[in-house]
Amino acid sequence: EDAVPFFARYLKKKAGILGTEKCAFFDLFAPLPASFSGRRWSWAETQDYVTECFASFSDEMADFAHHAFTSGWIDAEIRPGKIGGAYMTAFPLAGESRVMCNFDGTFNSVMTVAHELGHAWHFEVMKDLPAFRRDVPMTLAETASIFAETLVFRRSLQTCAGEERLARLEGHLQDGCQTLCDILSRFYFEKAAFAAAENGSPSADDFCAWMAEAQKKAYGGALDEQALHPYMWLVKCHYYSADLAFYNFPYAFGQLFALALFSRFQEEGKSFAPVYKNLLRMTGSQNAGQIAALAGFRLEDPEFWRRGTDVFRQEADGWERLFQKKEKTDIL
Ligand SMILES: [Zn+2]
Protein backbone atom coordinates (compact mmCIF):
# COMPACT_ATOMS: atom_id res chain seq x y z
CA GLU A 1 0.00 0.00 0.00
CA ASP A 2 2.96 2.32 0.62
CA ALA A 3 3.86 1.97 -3.05
CA VAL A 4 0.43 2.89 -4.44
CA PRO A 5 0.89 6.71 -4.56
CA PHE A 6 4.02 6.70 -6.69
CA PHE A 7 2.66 4.06 -9.06
CA ALA A 8 -0.46 6.22 -9.38
CA ARG A 9 1.78 9.16 -10.31
CA TYR A 10 3.59 7.02 -12.88
CA LEU A 11 0.27 5.93 -14.43
CA LYS A 12 -0.92 9.52 -14.64
CA LYS A 13 2.22 10.46 -16.52
CA LYS A 14 1.93 7.42 -18.76
CA ALA A 15 -1.68 8.38 -19.58
CA GLY A 16 -0.40 11.80 -20.65
CA ILE A 17 2.17 10.25 -22.97
CA LEU A 18 -0.50 7.99 -24.47
CA GLY A 19 -2.69 11.04 -25.04
CA THR A 20 -5.46 10.10 -22.66
CA GLU A 21 -6.63 11.50 -19.34
CA LYS A 22 -6.39 8.27 -17.35
CA CYS A 23 -4.98 4.87 -18.24
CA ALA A 24 -7.49 2.13 -19.02
CA PHE A 25 -6.73 -1.31 -17.63
CA PHE A 26 -5.60 -2.37 -21.11
CA ASP A 27 -3.13 0.53 -21.18
CA LEU A 28 -1.12 -0.91 -18.31
CA PHE A 29 1.07 -2.89 -20.69
CA ALA A 30 0.69 -0.53 -23.63
CA PRO A 31 4.04 0.18 -25.26
CA LEU A 32 5.07 3.82 -25.33
CA PRO A 33 5.72 5.54 -28.69
CA ALA A 34 8.29 3.89 -30.93
CA SER A 35 11.05 6.38 -30.15
CA PHE A 36 11.16 4.93 -26.63
CA SER A 37 11.81 1.35 -27.64
CA GLY A 38 15.24 0.12 -26.67
CA ARG A 39 18.06 -1.12 -28.88
CA ARG A 40 18.51 -4.76 -29.93
CA TRP A 41 20.85 -7.17 -28.21
CA SER A 42 22.69 -10.04 -29.88
CA TRP A 43 22.81 -13.44 -28.19
CA ALA A 44 26.63 -13.34 -27.93
CA GLU A 45 26.45 -9.91 -26.30
CA THR A 46 23.74 -11.13 -23.92
CA GLN A 47 25.88 -14.03 -22.73
CA ASP A 48 28.83 -11.75 -21.99
CA TYR A 49 26.67 -9.11 -20.38
CA VAL A 50 24.73 -11.41 -18.06
CA THR A 51 27.97 -13.13 -16.99
CA GLU A 52 29.61 -9.73 -16.37
CA CYS A 53 26.63 -8.52 -14.29
CA PHE A 54 26.69 -11.69 -12.18
CA ALA A 55 30.46 -11.27 -11.72
CA SER A 56 29.86 -7.83 -10.19
CA PHE A 57 28.25 -9.72 -7.31
CA SER A 58 29.74 -13.22 -7.22
CA ASP A 59 32.48 -14.86 -9.30
CA GLU A 60 30.99 -18.25 -8.50
CA MET A 61 27.60 -17.25 -9.88
CA ALA A 62 29.26 -15.79 -12.99
CA ASP A 63 31.27 -19.00 -13.54
CA PHE A 64 28.04 -20.95 -13.25
CA ALA A 65 26.32 -18.73 -15.86
CA HIS A 66 29.33 -19.09 -18.17
CA HIS A 67 29.13 -22.87 -17.79
CA ALA A 68 25.38 -22.85 -18.57
CA PHE A 69 25.91 -20.64 -21.66
CA THR A 70 28.80 -22.67 -23.05
CA SER A 71 27.40 -26.13 -22.27
CA GLY A 72 24.23 -25.75 -24.31
CA TRP A 73 22.00 -25.62 -21.22
CA ILE A 74 19.93 -22.75 -22.61
CA ASP A 75 17.49 -23.14 -25.49
CA ALA A 76 17.04 -19.47 -26.39
CA GLU A 77 16.29 -19.57 -30.12
CA ILE A 78 12.81 -18.71 -31.38
CA ARG A 79 11.67 -21.28 -33.95
CA PRO A 80 8.40 -22.53 -35.44
CA GLY A 81 6.56 -24.95 -33.20
CA LYS A 82 8.41 -23.95 -30.03
CA ILE A 83 6.27 -22.99 -27.05
CA GLY A 84 6.38 -19.37 -25.82
CA GLY A 85 7.44 -18.15 -22.37
CA ALA A 86 10.43 -19.17 -20.30
CA TYR A 87 11.22 -21.58 -17.49
CA MET A 88 14.01 -23.48 -15.77
CA THR A 89 13.92 -27.22 -15.23
CA ALA A 90 16.18 -28.95 -12.71
CA PHE A 91 17.44 -32.50 -13.08
CA PRO A 92 18.25 -33.52 -9.50
CA LEU A 93 19.82 -36.90 -10.31
CA ALA A 94 22.18 -35.39 -12.88
CA GLY A 95 22.69 -32.29 -10.71
CA GLU A 96 22.14 -30.07 -13.73
CA SER A 97 19.53 -27.63 -14.94
CA ARG A 98 18.23 -26.44 -18.31
CA VAL A 99 16.60 -23.18 -19.35
CA MET A 100 13.96 -22.70 -22.03
CA CYS A 101 13.31 -19.16 -23.22
CA ASN A 102 12.55 -17.23 -26.41
CA PHE A 103 15.26 -14.65 -26.93
CA ASP A 104 14.05 -11.83 -29.19
CA GLY A 105 16.87 -9.31 -28.78
CA THR A 106 14.97 -6.92 -26.48
CA PHE A 107 16.37 -5.88 -23.12
CA ASN A 108 13.38 -7.62 -21.57
CA SER A 109 14.51 -10.93 -22.96
CA VAL A 110 18.05 -10.29 -21.63
CA MET A 111 16.40 -9.89 -18.21
CA THR A 112 14.44 -13.12 -18.75
CA VAL A 113 17.67 -15.03 -19.37
CA ALA A 114 19.08 -13.60 -16.13
CA HIS A 115 15.84 -14.46 -14.30
CA GLU A 116 15.91 -18.11 -15.39
CA LEU A 117 19.63 -18.39 -14.67
CA GLY A 118 18.82 -17.09 -11.19
CA HIS A 119 16.48 -20.06 -10.75
CA ALA A 120 19.21 -22.34 -12.09
CA TRP A 121 21.74 -20.90 -9.62
CA HIS A 122 19.21 -21.45 -6.81
CA PHE A 123 19.05 -25.13 -7.74
CA GLU A 124 22.83 -25.30 -8.13
CA VAL A 125 23.48 -24.22 -4.52
CA MET A 126 20.89 -26.69 -3.19
CA LYS A 127 21.52 -29.66 -5.44
CA ASP A 128 23.52 -31.73 -2.92
CA LEU A 129 20.81 -31.41 -0.24
CA PRO A 130 18.27 -34.20 0.36
CA ALA A 131 15.13 -33.82 -1.77
CA PHE A 132 12.91 -32.79 1.15
CA ARG A 133 15.24 -29.85 1.87
CA ARG A 134 15.06 -28.67 -1.73
CA ASP A 135 11.33 -28.04 -1.67
CA VAL A 136 11.12 -24.21 -1.66
CA PRO A 137 7.88 -22.47 -0.55
CA MET A 138 6.22 -20.10 -3.05
CA THR A 139 7.18 -17.04 -1.02
CA LEU A 140 10.88 -17.80 -1.57
CA ALA A 141 10.75 -19.48 -4.99
CA GLU A 142 11.35 -16.22 -6.88
CA THR A 143 14.05 -14.80 -4.59
CA ALA A 144 17.02 -15.97 -6.67
CA SER A 145 15.43 -15.15 -10.02
CA ILE A 146 14.42 -11.60 -9.11
CA PHE A 147 17.78 -11.01 -7.44
CA ALA A 148 19.57 -12.14 -10.62
CA GLU A 149 17.49 -9.98 -12.94
CA THR A 150 17.97 -7.02 -10.58
CA LEU A 151 21.76 -7.47 -10.89
CA VAL A 152 21.38 -7.03 -14.65
CA PHE A 153 18.79 -4.27 -14.51
CA ARG A 154 20.59 -2.05 -11.98
CA ARG A 155 23.95 -2.46 -13.69
CA SER A 156 22.44 -1.60 -17.06
CA LEU A 157 21.15 1.69 -15.65
CA GLN A 158 24.72 2.75 -14.92
CA THR A 159 25.54 2.87 -18.61
CA CYS A 160 22.39 4.01 -20.35
CA ALA A 161 20.97 7.49 -20.80
CA GLY A 162 18.31 9.38 -22.72
CA GLU A 163 15.55 7.42 -24.43
CA GLU A 164 17.19 4.07 -23.74
CA ARG A 165 17.07 4.84 -20.03
CA LEU A 166 13.46 6.06 -20.26
CA ALA A 167 12.44 2.80 -21.95
CA ARG A 168 14.28 0.68 -19.43
CA LEU A 169 12.87 2.45 -16.39
CA GLU A 170 9.38 2.30 -17.84
CA GLY A 171 9.69 -1.45 -18.43
CA HIS A 172 10.68 -1.98 -14.82
CA LEU A 173 7.92 0.28 -13.51
CA GLN A 174 5.41 -1.62 -15.64
CA ASP A 175 6.53 -4.89 -14.02
CA GLY A 176 6.56 -3.36 -10.55
CA CYS A 177 3.08 -1.92 -11.05
CA GLN A 178 1.87 -5.42 -11.88
CA THR A 179 3.59 -7.07 -8.92
CA LEU A 180 2.67 -4.46 -6.36
CA CYS A 181 -0.59 -2.82 -7.51
CA ASP A 182 -2.28 -5.62 -9.39
CA ILE A 183 -1.35 -8.23 -6.82
CA LEU A 184 -2.69 -5.88 -4.15
CA SER A 185 -5.99 -5.62 -6.04
CA ARG A 186 -6.20 -9.42 -6.08
CA PHE A 187 -5.64 -9.44 -2.32
CA TYR A 188 -8.43 -6.88 -1.77
CA PHE A 189 -10.69 -8.90 -4.03
CA GLU A 190 -10.08 -12.20 -2.28
CA LYS A 191 -10.53 -10.59 1.12
CA ALA A 192 -13.94 -9.25 0.08
CA ALA A 193 -14.94 -12.55 -1.51
CA PHE A 194 -13.96 -14.68 1.50
CA ALA A 195 -15.72 -12.32 3.91
CA ALA A 196 -18.93 -12.46 1.84
CA ALA A 197 -18.75 -16.23 1.31
CA GLU A 198 -19.61 -16.70 4.98
CA ASN A 199 -23.08 -15.32 4.24
CA GLY A 200 -24.02 -17.40 1.22
CA SER A 201 -23.00 -17.71 -2.43
CA PRO A 202 -22.03 -14.46 -4.16
CA SER A 203 -23.18 -13.83 -7.75
CA ALA A 204 -21.02 -13.01 -10.77
CA ASP A 205 -22.11 -9.37 -10.42
CA ASP A 206 -20.86 -9.37 -6.82
CA PHE A 207 -17.46 -10.66 -7.95
CA CYS A 208 -17.30 -7.98 -10.66
CA ALA A 209 -18.20 -5.24 -8.19
CA TRP A 210 -15.52 -6.35 -5.70
CA MET A 211 -12.93 -6.62 -8.45
CA ALA A 212 -13.68 -3.14 -9.78
CA GLU A 213 -13.54 -1.73 -6.25
CA ALA A 214 -10.24 -3.52 -5.61
CA GLN A 215 -8.70 -2.16 -8.82
CA LYS A 216 -9.77 1.41 -8.07
CA LYS A 217 -8.14 1.23 -4.65
CA ALA A 218 -5.00 -0.72 -5.55
CA TYR A 219 -4.08 1.61 -8.43
CA GLY A 220 -4.63 4.69 -6.27
CA GLY A 221 -7.53 5.95 -8.40
CA ALA A 222 -5.22 6.32 -11.40
CA LEU A 223 -7.21 4.03 -13.71
CA ASP A 224 -10.15 5.11 -15.86
CA GLU A 225 -13.15 3.85 -13.88
CA GLN A 226 -15.07 3.19 -17.10
CA ALA A 227 -12.31 0.91 -18.37
CA LEU A 228 -11.37 -1.37 -15.48
CA HIS A 229 -11.19 -5.17 -15.74
CA PRO A 230 -14.09 -6.39 -13.56
CA TYR A 231 -13.93 -9.92 -15.03
CA MET A 232 -10.31 -10.43 -13.98
CA TRP A 233 -11.50 -13.05 -11.46
CA LEU A 234 -12.91 -15.08 -14.34
CA VAL A 235 -9.74 -15.27 -16.42
CA LYS A 236 -7.03 -15.68 -13.76
CA CYS A 237 -6.57 -19.32 -12.89
CA HIS A 238 -4.97 -18.25 -9.59
CA TYR A 239 -8.42 -17.96 -8.00
CA TYR A 240 -9.41 -21.53 -8.76
CA SER A 241 -6.98 -23.57 -6.66
CA ALA A 242 -9.18 -24.93 -3.91
CA ASP A 243 -6.21 -25.54 -1.62
CA LEU A 244 -4.48 -22.21 -2.24
CA ALA A 245 -6.26 -19.17 -0.82
CA PHE A 246 -4.52 -15.80 -1.36
CA TYR A 247 -2.26 -17.50 -3.90
CA ASN A 248 -1.32 -14.14 -5.45
CA PHE A 249 0.54 -12.46 -2.60
CA PRO A 250 3.81 -14.48 -2.95
CA TYR A 251 4.59 -12.48 -6.12
CA ALA A 252 4.61 -9.18 -4.22
CA PHE A 253 6.36 -10.81 -1.28
CA GLY A 254 9.03 -12.34 -3.53
CA GLN A 255 9.66 -9.07 -5.36
CA LEU A 256 10.10 -7.00 -2.21
CA PHE A 257 12.07 -9.71 -0.43
CA ALA A 258 14.56 -9.99 -3.32
CA LEU A 259 14.91 -6.19 -3.58
CA ALA A 260 15.59 -5.93 0.15
CA LEU A 261 18.34 -8.55 -0.20
CA PHE A 262 19.68 -6.63 -3.18
CA SER A 263 19.91 -3.50 -1.02
CA ARG A 264 22.22 -5.48 1.30
CA PHE A 265 24.49 -6.17 -1.68
CA GLN A 266 24.47 -2.45 -2.53
CA GLU A 267 25.59 -1.67 1.01
CA GLU A 268 28.13 -4.45 1.44
CA GLY A 269 29.33 -5.32 -2.04
CA LYS A 270 30.66 -8.74 -2.89
CA SER A 271 31.05 -9.76 0.76
CA PHE A 272 27.28 -10.34 0.78
CA ALA A 273 27.65 -13.15 -1.80
CA PRO A 274 28.49 -16.00 0.67
CA VAL A 275 25.64 -14.87 3.00
CA TYR A 276 23.27 -14.87 0.03
CA LYS A 277 24.42 -18.29 -1.14
CA ASN A 278 23.89 -19.82 2.30
CA LEU A 279 20.50 -18.15 2.57
CA LEU A 280 19.40 -19.63 -0.78
CA ARG A 281 20.62 -23.03 0.34
CA MET A 282 18.37 -22.86 3.39
CA THR A 283 15.18 -21.83 1.53
CA GLY A 284 13.87 -25.41 1.59
CA SER A 285 14.62 -25.94 5.28
CA GLN A 286 13.56 -22.70 6.94
CA ASN A 287 10.59 -20.35 6.65
CA ALA A 288 10.73 -16.83 5.19
CA GLY A 289 11.14 -15.22 8.62
CA GLN A 290 14.16 -17.38 9.43
CA ILE A 291 15.66 -16.78 5.98
CA ALA A 292 15.26 -13.01 6.39
CA ALA A 293 16.98 -13.27 9.79
CA LEU A 294 20.01 -14.86 8.07
CA ALA A 295 20.40 -11.57 6.17
CA GLY A 296 19.86 -9.56 9.36
CA PHE A 297 16.24 -8.54 8.64
CA ARG A 298 12.96 -8.88 10.50
CA LEU A 299 9.88 -9.40 8.34
CA GLU A 300 7.78 -7.59 10.96
CA ASP A 301 9.84 -4.44 10.46
CA PRO A 302 8.20 -2.05 7.94
CA GLU A 303 11.69 -0.75 7.15
CA PHE A 304 12.54 -4.10 5.57
CA TRP A 305 9.67 -3.78 3.08
CA ARG A 306 10.38 -0.12 2.48
CA ARG A 307 13.78 -1.08 1.08
CA GLY A 308 11.91 -2.79 -1.76
CA THR A 309 9.22 -0.17 -2.37
CA ASP A 310 11.85 2.60 -2.24
CA VAL A 311 13.53 1.15 -5.32
CA PHE A 312 10.33 1.75 -7.30
CA ARG A 313 9.77 5.19 -5.78
CA GLN A 314 13.23 6.27 -6.89
CA GLU A 315 12.69 4.79 -10.34
CA ALA A 316 9.32 6.53 -10.73
CA ASP A 317 10.93 9.85 -9.71
CA GLY A 318 13.87 9.30 -12.08
CA TRP A 319 11.60 8.34 -14.96
CA GLU A 320 9.41 11.39 -14.45
CA ARG A 321 12.41 13.76 -14.24
CA LEU A 322 13.97 12.27 -17.34
CA PHE A 323 10.72 12.52 -19.22
CA GLN A 324 10.27 16.18 -18.29
CA LYS A 325 13.79 16.84 -19.54
CA LYS A 326 12.98 15.08 -22.82
CA GLU A 327 9.78 17.12 -23.20
CA LYS A 328 11.76 20.34 -22.77
CA THR A 329 14.43 19.38 -25.31
CA ASP A 330 11.78 18.14 -27.77
CA ILE A 331 10.01 21.51 -27.61
CA LEU A 332 13.30 23.34 -28.12
ZN1 LIG B 1 10.62 -17.14 -12.08
Side-chain angles (χ1 to χ4, degrees):
E1 285 177 344
D2 283 355
V4 170
F6 46 81
F7 277 113
R9 233 179 43 234
Y10 149 72
L11 288 174
K12 215 173 146 208
K13 191 83 198 162
K14 180 167 181 174
I17 300 170
L18 294 172
T20 170
E21 201 187 319
K22 277 185 166 184
C23 280
F25 198 89
F26 50 74
D27 287 330
L28 289 171
F29 292 110
L32 291 177
S35 62
F36 285 180
S37 62
R39 69 171 180 90
R40 315 302 288 179
W41 291 67
S42 74
W43 179 238
E45 189 186 8
T46 300
Q47 298 185 42
D48 289 347
Y49 192 67
V50 170
T51 311
E52 177 196 316
C53 292
F54 285 5
S56 69
F57 168 63
S58 151
D59 295 330
E60 226 182 333
M61 194 171 155
D63 290 345
F64 171 75
H66 179 73
H67 182 68
F69 280 125
T70 52
S71 308
W73 286 11
I74 306 172
D75 178 2
E77 170 196 47
I78 297 177
R79 56 181 180 272
K82 182 175 163 182
I83 195 166
Y87 61 83
M88 184 283 294
T89 300
F91 296 91
L93 294 181
E96 293 184 359
S97 52
R98 296 291 186 273
V99 166
M100 196 291 294
C101 61
N102 287 274
F103 181 75
D104 64 3
T106 58
F107 183 70
N108 234 358
S109 66
V110 176
M111 293 261 286
T112 303
V113 173
H115 180 105
E116 298 308 329
L117 278 174
H119 281 306
W121 174 242
H122 196 170
F123 169 70
E124 181 68 17
V125 303
M126 298 179 92
K127 68 180 185 185
D128 61 322
L129 294 172
F132 59 84
R133 290 183 59 196
R134 273 188 272 117
D135 192 9
V136 180
M138 269 200 69
T139 40
L140 300 171
E142 294 297 327
T143 307
S145 53
I146 297 173
F147 190 92
E149 66 175 52
T150 307
L151 279 172
V152 171
F153 177 70
R154 300 301 296 186
R155 196 170 169 80
S156 82
L157 284 185
Q158 293 171 5
T159 52
C160 78
E163 296 203 346
E164 183 79 26
R165 191 181 179 87
L166 264 178
R168 216 161 279 176
L169 283 172
E170 209 274 330
H172 203 243
L173 286 168
Q174 218 179 79
D175 293 347
C177 188
Q178 179 71 9
T179 331
L180 297 180
C181 297
D182 203 67
I183 295 296
L184 180 62
S185 78
R186 300 179 200 185
F187 174 77
Y188 289 150
F189 168 80
E190 284 194 84
K191 218 169 142 195
F194 281 123
E198 289 176 13
N199 307 314
S201 300
S203 67
D205 285 344
D206 290 331
F207 284 131
C208 285
W210 295 327
M211 187 53 94
E213 227 19 74
Q215 288 169 356
K216 282 183 214 166
K217 201 170 147 196
Y219 286 91
L223 292 182
D224 177 354
E225 296 193 2
Q226 304 309 313
L228 297 168
H229 187 355
Y231 280 100
M232 181 66 136
W233 57 272
L234 193 61
V235 293
K236 272 277 169 227
C237 58
H238 295 184
Y239 299 112
Y240 297 92
S241 304
D243 54 345
L244 275 179
F246 293 104
Y247 167 45
N248 294 286
F249 95 93
Y251 291 94
F253 184 100
Q255 172 87 68
L256 294 177
F257 189 74
L259 288 179
L261 293 180
F262 190 80
S263 72
R264 277 286 307 268
F265 160 54
Q266 287 177 308
E267 287 163 9
E268 290 166 36
K270 282 177 123 171
S271 65
F272 182 57
V275 179
Y276 174 73
K277 187 181 169 188
N278 178 51
L279 176 155
L280 283 187
R281 209 173 139 73
M282 303 309 285
T283 47
S285 329
Q286 302 191 345
N287 65 34
Q290 291 166 318
I291 296 292
L294 291 176
F297 292 126
R298 277 176 58 244
L299 291 187
E300 298 80 5
D301 182 359
E303 197 44 46
F304 172 73
W305 302 105
R306 214 161 288 136
R307 282 172 177 257
T309 53
D310 257 3
V311 170
F312 288 108
R313 185 179 51 74
Q314 286 161 10
E315 285 177 10
D317 289 348
W319 181 75
E320 211 171 335
R321 268 199 310 274
L322 203 60
F323 188 76
Q324 273 156 1
K325 211 165 111 191
K326 178 182 151 53
E327 274 178 326
K328 273 189 204 145
T329 46
D330 282 359
I331 293 165
L332 294 171

